[in-house]
Coordinates of all heavy atoms in Angstrom, one line a residue:
A206 N 97.5 107.8 122.7 CA 96.8 108.7 123.6 C 97.2 108.1 125.0 O 96.7 108.5 125.9 CB 95.4 108.7 123.3
Q207 N 97.9 106.9 125.0 CA 98.2 106.2 126.4 C 97.1 105.9 127.1 O 97.0 106.1 128.3 CB 99.3 107.1 127.1 CG 100.6 107.3 126.5 CD 101.6 108.0 127.3 OE1 101.8 109.2 127.0 NE2 102.2 107.4 128.2
I208 N 96.0 105.3 126.5 CA 94.7 104.8 127.1 C 94.7 103.3 127.0 O 94.9 102.8 125.9 CB 93.6 105.5 126.5 CG1 93.6 107.0 126.8 CG2 92.2 104.9 127.0 CD1 92.6 107.9 126.0
H209 N 94.4 102.7 128.2 CA 94.3 101.2 128.1 C 92.9 100.9 127.3 O 91.9 101.5 127.6 CB 94.2 100.7 129.5 CG 94.2 99.2 129.7 ND1 93.1 98.3 129.3 CD2 95.2 98.5 130.2 CE1 93.5 97.1 129.5 NE2 94.8 97.1 130.0
P210 N 93.1 99.9 126.4 CA 91.8 99.5 125.6 C 90.5 99.2 126.4 O 89.5 99.3 125.9 CB 92.3 98.4 124.7 CG 93.6 97.9 125.3 CD 94.1 99.0 126.1
E211 N 90.8 98.6 127.6 CA 89.6 98.2 128.4 C 89.0 99.4 129.3 O 88.0 99.1 129.9 CB 89.9 97.1 129.3 CG 90.0 95.7 128.6 CD 90.4 94.6 129.5 OE1 91.2 94.7 130.4 OE2 89.7 93.6 129.4
T212 N 89.5 100.6 129.1 CA 89.1 101.7 130.0 C 87.6 101.9 129.6 O 87.3 102.0 128.5 CB 89.8 103.0 129.7 OG1 91.1 102.7 129.9 CG2 89.5 104.1 130.6
P213 N 86.7 102.0 130.6 CA 85.3 102.3 130.3 C 85.3 103.7 129.7 O 85.8 104.6 130.2 CB 84.6 102.3 131.7 CG 85.5 101.4 132.5 CD 86.9 101.7 132.1
A214 N 84.5 103.8 128.6 CA 84.6 105.0 127.7 C 84.1 106.1 128.5 O 84.7 107.3 128.4 CB 83.7 104.8 126.5
G215 N 83.0 106.0 129.5 CA 82.6 107.1 130.2 C 83.5 107.6 131.3 O 83.3 108.7 131.9
E216 N 84.6 106.9 131.5 CA 85.5 107.3 132.5 C 86.7 108.1 132.0 O 87.6 108.5 132.7 CB 86.0 106.1 133.4 CG 84.8 105.8 134.3 CD 85.2 104.3 134.9 OE1 86.5 103.9 134.9 OE2 84.3 103.6 135.4
I217 N 86.7 108.3 130.7 CA 87.8 109.1 130.0 C 87.6 110.6 130.4 O 86.5 111.0 130.1 CB 87.9 108.7 128.6 CG1 88.4 107.2 128.5 CG2 88.7 109.6 127.8 CD1 88.5 106.7 127.0
T218 N 88.6 111.1 130.8 CA 88.4 112.6 131.2 C 88.4 113.4 130.0 O 88.8 113.0 128.8 CB 89.7 113.0 132.1 OG1 90.8 112.9 131.3 CG2 89.8 112.2 133.4
N219 N 88.0 114.7 130.1 CA 88.0 115.4 129.0 C 89.4 115.7 128.3 O 89.5 115.8 127.1 CB 87.5 116.9 129.4 CG 85.9 116.9 129.6 OD1 85.3 115.8 129.1 ND2 85.3 117.9 130.2
S220 N 90.4 115.8 129.2 CA 91.7 116.0 128.5 C 92.2 114.8 127.9 O 92.8 114.9 126.8 CB 92.6 116.5 129.6 OG 93.0 115.6 130.6
A221 N 91.9 113.6 128.5 CA 92.2 112.4 127.8 C 91.5 112.2 126.5 O 92.0 111.6 125.5 CB 92.1 111.2 128.8
A222 N 90.3 112.6 126.4 CA 89.3 112.4 125.3 C 89.9 113.4 124.1 O 90.0 112.9 123.0 CB 87.9 112.8 125.6
R223 N 90.4 114.5 124.5 CA 91.0 115.5 123.5 C 92.2 114.8 123.0 O 92.4 114.8 121.8 CB 91.3 116.8 124.2 CG 91.8 117.8 123.2 CD 92.3 119.1 123.8 NE 91.0 119.6 124.6 CZ 91.1 119.9 125.8 NH1 92.3 120.1 126.5 NH2 90.1 120.4 126.5
K224 N 93.1 114.2 123.8 CA 94.3 113.6 123.4 C 94.0 112.4 122.5 O 94.7 112.2 121.4 CB 95.1 113.1 124.6 CG 96.4 112.8 124.4 CD 97.2 112.6 125.8 CE 98.6 112.0 125.7 NZ 99.1 111.6 126.9
L225 N 93.0 111.6 122.9 CA 92.6 110.4 122.0 C 92.1 110.9 120.6 O 92.4 110.3 119.8 CB 91.5 109.6 122.8 CG 91.0 108.5 122.1 CD1 92.1 107.4 121.6 CD2 90.0 107.7 122.9
L226 N 91.2 111.9 120.7 CA 90.7 112.3 119.4 C 91.9 112.9 118.5 O 91.9 112.6 117.3 CB 89.7 113.3 119.5 CG 89.0 113.9 118.3 CD1 88.4 112.7 117.5 CD2 87.8 114.9 118.5
N227 N 92.8 113.7 119.0 CA 94.0 114.1 118.2 C 94.8 112.9 117.8 O 95.2 112.9 116.6 CB 94.9 115.0 119.1 CG 94.2 116.3 119.3 OD1 93.4 116.8 118.5 ND2 94.7 116.9 120.4
A228 N 94.9 111.8 118.6 CA 95.6 110.6 118.2 C 94.9 109.9 117.0 O 95.5 109.5 116.1 CB 95.8 109.7 119.4
I229 N 93.6 109.8 117.2 CA 92.8 109.1 116.1 C 93.0 109.9 114.8 O 93.4 109.2 113.7 CB 91.4 109.2 116.5 CG1 91.0 108.3 117.6 CG2 90.4 108.9 115.2 CD1 89.6 108.3 118.2
K230 N 92.8 111.3 114.7 CA 93.0 112.0 113.5 C 94.5 111.9 113.0 O 94.6 111.8 111.7 CB 92.6 113.4 113.7 CG 91.0 113.4 113.9 CD 90.5 114.9 114.0 CE 88.9 114.7 114.2 NZ 88.4 116.1 114.3
T231 N 95.5 112.0 113.8 CA 96.8 111.9 113.4 C 97.2 110.6 112.8 O 97.7 110.5 111.7 CB 97.8 112.1 114.6 OG1 97.5 113.5 115.2 CG2 99.3 112.2 114.3
V232 N 96.7 109.5 113.4 CA 97.0 108.1 112.9 C 96.4 107.9 111.6 O 97.0 107.4 110.7 CB 96.5 107.1 114.1 CG1 96.4 105.7 113.4 CG2 97.5 107.1 115.3
L233 N 95.1 108.4 111.5 CA 94.3 108.2 110.3 C 94.9 108.9 109.1 O 95.2 108.5 107.9 CB 92.9 108.6 110.4 CG 92.0 107.5 111.1 CD1 90.6 108.1 111.1 CD2 92.0 106.2 110.4
R234 N 95.3 110.2 109.4 CA 95.9 111.1 108.3 C 97.3 110.6 107.8 O 97.5 110.5 106.7 CB 96.1 112.6 108.8 CG 94.7 113.2 109.0 CD 94.9 114.7 108.9 NE 93.6 115.4 109.2 CZ 93.2 115.9 110.4 NH1 94.1 115.9 111.4 NH2 92.0 116.4 110.5
R235 N 98.1 110.1 108.8 CA 99.3 109.6 108.5 C 99.2 108.3 107.7 O 99.9 108.0 106.7 CB 100.1 109.3 109.7 CG 101.6 109.2 109.5 CD 102.4 109.1 110.7 NE 102.5 110.4 111.5 CZ 102.6 110.5 112.8 NH1 102.9 109.5 113.4 NH2 102.6 111.7 113.4
A236 N 98.2 107.5 108.1 CA 98.0 106.2 107.4 C 97.5 106.5 106.0 O 97.9 105.9 104.9 CB 97.0 105.4 108.0
V237 N 96.6 107.5 105.8 CA 96.1 107.9 104.4 C 97.3 108.4 103.6 O 97.5 108.0 102.4 CB 95.0 108.9 104.5 CG1 94.6 109.4 103.1 CG2 93.7 108.3 105.2
D238 N 98.2 109.2 104.2 CA 99.3 109.7 103.4 C 100.2 108.5 102.9 O 100.8 108.6 101.9 CB 100.2 110.7 104.4 CG 99.5 111.9 104.6 OD1 98.6 112.2 103.8 OD2 100.0 112.7 105.5
L239 N 100.3 107.5 103.8 CA 101.1 106.4 103.4 C 100.3 105.3 102.6 O 100.8 104.2 102.6 CB 101.8 105.8 104.6 CG 102.9 106.7 105.2 CD1 103.2 106.2 106.6 CD2 104.0 106.8 104.4
Q240 N 99.1 105.6 102.1 CA 98.3 104.8 101.4 C 97.8 103.6 102.2 O 97.4 102.5 101.6 CB 99.0 104.3 100.1 CG 99.4 105.3 99.1 CD 100.8 105.2 98.5 OE1 101.5 106.2 98.4 NE2 101.0 103.9 98.1
G241 N 97.6 103.7 103.5 CA 96.9 102.7 104.2 C 98.0 101.6 104.7 O 99.1 101.7 104.7
T242 N 97.4 100.6 105.3 CA 98.2 99.4 106.0 C 97.9 98.1 105.2 O 96.8 97.7 105.2 CB 97.8 99.3 107.3 OG1 97.9 100.6 108.0 CG2 98.8 98.4 108.1
S243 N 98.9 97.4 104.6 CA 98.7 96.2 104.0 C 99.3 95.1 104.8 O 100.5 95.1 105.1 CB 99.4 96.2 102.5 OG 98.7 97.2 101.8
F244 N 98.4 94.2 105.2 CA 98.9 92.9 105.7 C 99.0 91.9 104.6 O 100.0 91.4 104.3 CB 98.1 92.4 106.9 CG 98.6 93.2 108.2 CD1 97.9 94.3 108.6 CD2 99.7 92.8 108.9 CE1 98.4 95.1 109.7 CE2 100.0 93.4 110.0 CZ 99.5 94.5 110.4
R245 N 97.8 91.6 104.1 CA 97.8 90.7 103.0 C 97.2 91.4 101.7 O 97.8 91.3 100.7 CB 97.0 89.4 103.3 CG 97.4 88.5 104.4 CD 96.5 87.5 104.5 NE 95.2 87.8 104.7 CZ 94.7 88.1 106.0 NH1 95.5 87.9 107.1 NH2 93.5 88.5 106.1
D246 N 96.1 92.0 101.9 CA 95.2 92.2 100.8 C 95.1 93.7 100.3 O 94.9 94.0 99.2 CB 93.8 91.7 101.0 CG 93.9 90.2 101.3 OD1 93.9 89.5 100.4 OD2 93.8 90.0 102.5
Y247 N 95.3 94.6 101.3 CA 94.8 95.9 101.0 C 95.8 96.6 99.8 O 96.9 96.6 100.0 CB 94.8 96.8 102.1 CG 94.4 98.3 101.8 CD1 93.2 98.5 101.6 CD2 95.4 99.2 101.6 CE1 92.7 99.7 101.0 CE2 95.0 100.5 101.1 CZ 93.7 100.8 100.9 OH 93.3 102.0 100.4
I248 N 95.1 97.1 98.8 CA 95.8 97.9 97.9 C 94.8 99.1 97.5 O 93.7 99.0 97.7 CB 96.2 97.2 96.5 CG1 94.9 96.6 95.9 CG2 97.4 96.3 96.8 CD1 95.3 95.9 94.6
D249 N 95.5 100.3 97.2 CA 94.6 101.4 96.9 C 94.2 101.3 95.4 O 94.4 100.4 94.7 CB 95.3 102.7 97.2 CG 96.4 103.1 96.3 OD1 96.7 102.4 95.3 OD2 97.1 104.0 96.5
I250 N 93.5 102.5 94.9 CA 92.8 102.4 93.6 C 93.9 102.3 92.6 O 93.6 101.8 91.4 CB 91.9 103.6 93.5 CG1 91.0 103.5 92.1 CG2 92.7 104.9 93.4 CD1 89.6 103.7 92.3
E251 N 95.1 102.7 92.8 CA 96.2 102.6 91.8 C 97.0 101.3 91.9 O 97.9 101.1 91.2 CB 97.3 103.7 92.0 CG 96.7 105.1 92.3 CD 96.5 105.8 91.0 OE1 96.6 105.4 89.9 OE2 96.1 107.1 91.2
G252 N 96.4 100.4 92.8 CA 97.0 99.1 92.8 C 98.3 99.1 93.8 O 99.0 98.1 93.9
R253 N 98.5 100.1 94.6 CA 99.6 100.2 95.5 C 99.4 99.7 96.9 O 98.4 100.0 97.4 CB 100.2 101.6 95.6 CG 100.5 102.4 94.2 CD 100.7 103.8 94.5 NE 99.6 104.5 94.9 CZ 99.4 106.0 95.0 NH1 100.4 106.7 94.6 NH2 98.4 106.4 95.6

Side-chain angles (χ1 to χ4, degrees):
Q207 296 183 259
I208 295 172
H209 192 287
E211 284 182 316
T212 307
E216 289 170 17
I217 289 177
T218 62
N219 286 347
S220 66
R223 183 179 309 128
K224 200 171 166 189
L225 177 55
L226 185 57
N227 285 335
I229 288 169
K230 293 185 178 182
T231 303
V232 164
L233 284 178
R234 288 200 186 104
R235 197 170 291 157
V237 170
D238 286 344
L239 291 169
Q240 298 143 218
T242 308
S243 297
F244 276 94
R245 292 181 307 269
D246 305 277
Y247 179 74
I248 51 175
D249 72 5
I250 190 132
E251 318 271 5
R253 301 171 298 194

